[in-house]
């Protein structure tokens, strides 16, 4: 239960990447941006669940259900909203500070919907 080891409810992009990558990641990186943003560029290995759907009550994608979540958006605003919604549903969740802008600025991989080099839209 990594998400509640520390008092703060946010992760840096470095912490998020460390906890959501590798052979046996301890959490799922959940991207809550809209479909066009996701298609343009997202973190490799992330799972997509737009905030608009979560707000409307949509279920999490199967690969994110019952797992600790690191929620990311473009800058960190929508991920905070999504984290509150998901926490209210009982999820173990933290949002990622700085979002995909910080992810890309840190030099972490961003891919488009085809797996090619992507952009943050």
């Amino acid at each position: 239960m990594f998400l509640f080891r520390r008092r703060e409810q946010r992760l840096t992009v470095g912490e998020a990447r460390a906890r959501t990558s590798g052979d046996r990641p301890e959490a799922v990186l959940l991207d809550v941006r809209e479909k066009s943003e996701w298609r343009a560029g997202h973190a490799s290995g992330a799972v997509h669940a737009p905030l608009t759907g979560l707000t409307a009550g949509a279920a999490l994608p199967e690969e994110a259900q019952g797992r600790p979540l690191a929620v990311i958006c473009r800058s960190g605003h929508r991920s905070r909203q999504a984290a509150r919604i998901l926490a209210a549903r009982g999820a173990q969740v933290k949002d990622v500070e700085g979002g995909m802008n910080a992810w890309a600025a840190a030099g972490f991989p961003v891919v488009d919907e085809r797996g090619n080099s992507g952009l943050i839209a």
Side-chain angles (χ1 to χ4, degrees):
M1 295 194 180
F2 86 94
L3 294 171
F4 296 109
R5 285 186 196 145
R6 296 184 308 165
R7 296 189 72 121
E8 57 273 4
Q9 297 301 307
R10 303 194 90 189
L11 298 171
T12 66
V13 291
E15 290 169 327
R17 184 167 190 234
R19 293 174 178 172
T20 62
S21 61
D23 291 337
R24 295 182 55 168
E26 61 182 284
V28 172
L29 185 63
L30 186 72
D31 192 321
V32 297
R33 295 174 302 142
E34 295 307 312
K35 189 179 274 188
S36 62
E37 294 171 291
W38 168 263
R39 286 180 177 157
H42 57 272
S44 180
V47 174
H48 187 224
L51 177 61
T52 52
L54 296 174
T55 301
L60 285 170
E62 186 175 324
E63 58 267 41
Q65 292 179 11
R67 301 275 316 276
L69 304 170
V71 183
I72 196 165
C73 64
R74 182 175 41 210
S75 64
H77 178 71
R78 288 176 284 178
S79 62
R80 287 183 113 173
Q81 292 176 322
R84 284 192 292 269
I85 290 167
L86 294 167
R89 293 184 188 179
Q92 297 176 28
V93 59
K94 283 192 180 184
D95 74 297
V96 180
E97 234 177 329
M100 286 302 298
N101 288 333
W103 184 275
F108 298 149
V110 176
V111 297
D112 68 11
E113 66 181 328
R114 294 185 180 131
N116 300 317
S117 182
L119 303 170
I120 306 306

